[in-house]
Amino acid sequence: MKKAQKGDQAAFDALLRRHYNQIYAVCRRLAGNEADALDATQEALITLVRRIDRFDGRSKFTTWMHRVVVNACLDELRRRGRRPVPTAVEEQPLAAAERPVAEVVADRLDIESALAQLPGSFRVPLVLCDQLGMSYEEIAQEMDIPPGTVRSRISRGRRRLAEVLSGNPEGPGQRHTGEKP
């Protein structure tokens, strides 16, 4: 990291190669499709190269990197007029490793589909918190909204996600029959 900050291209190349998969995974979750994720990843890498001198060491490099990547990805999507559609692309948890692969994949597809049904105002904070592990304060800074609004949106988003996953996409008090009205 220190060598990369001092202009050592080989060190910077090694640093980006080491974190590329993680950078792409963040962009994939936020962009929601392969093409946008690849474009956003490219923009994030460019931003990291341009801003490496701003890393001051007060946090872990990966924490700083995530913030830069999320901002670059969201900026790229805003420039294109696209809304982020997070997906459930992430490392497989240990508990899931013990389950049949087909079951794990089915669960991830269900979550991805349910997330896609949420409004962006709920979906983005949920992904940033639950999939990227960002704090409410970090999310508030990223989205330029108060921390209380982040808490509310995450809470309401989780409730709505649970409703969709339980087969009740209309919300509380509504019975989902599977038929269209």
Side-chain angles (χ1 to χ4, degrees):
M1 224 308 289
K2 299 271 187 215
K3 287 181 181 180
Q5 278 186 308
K6 292 179 182 176
D8 183 331
Q9 289 302 107
F12 206 89
D13 186 55
L15 188 66
L16 292 180
R17 285 182 190 279
R18 181 180 321 144
H19 295 288
Y20 180 84
N21 289 339
Q22 193 175 16
I23 292 166
Y24 171 76
V26 169
C27 291
R28 181 68 171 99
R29 288 178 194 136
L30 291 173
N33 67 67
E34 182 80 14
D36 288 344
L38 289 171
D39 289 344
T41 298
Q42 185 68 30
E43 288 303 315
L45 292 171
I46 291 168
T47 302
L48 284 169
V49 169
R50 289 181 178 158
R51 296 189 179 163
I52 189 70
D53 61 326
R54 295 184 187 174
F55 176 66
D56 60 13
R58 287 186 290 163
S59 63
K60 293 190 317 187
F61 173 75
T62 53
T63 302
W64 176 82
M65 179 190 74
H66 268 103
R67 174 165 289 204
V68 170
V69 170
V70 167
N71 281 336
C73 183
L74 291 176
D75 287 347
E76 176 67 12
L77 292 173
R78 275 187 216 110
R79 271 193 297 276
R80 293 167 173 235
R82 295 187 178 133
R83 295 177 171 236
V85 180
T87 60
V89 178
E90 62 182 84
E91 299 80 33
Q92 186 173 349
L94 292 177
E98 299 169 5
R99 297 171 45 210
V101 173
E103 187 178 313
V104 173
V105 169
D107 287 349
R108 286 188 179 181
L109 291 174
D110 288 346
I111 291 168
E112 182 176 333
S113 174
L115 276 171
Q117 294 178 47
L118 297 181
S121 61
F122 293 160
R123 187 176 51 239
V124 171
L126 268 176
V127 169
L128 295 177
C129 179
D130 293 344
Q131 293 185 343
L132 300 180
M134 294 175 69
S135 71
Y136 290 173
E137 291 74 24
E138 291 171 324
I139 296 167
Q141 287 179 338
E142 294 292 331
M143 296 184 72
D144 196 28
I145 57 176
T149 303
V150 171
R151 281 188 215 30
S152 171
R153 288 182 183 180
I154 289 173
S155 175
R156 291 169 49 197
R158 284 178 180 154
R159 190 171 344 143
R160 186 78 178 107
L161 186 63
E163 291 165 358
V164 172
L165 287 170
S166 70
N168 188 12
E170 289 84 17
Q174 304 289 321
R175 240 184 63 198
H176 178 64
T177 61
E179 298 176 20
K180 293 183 180 178

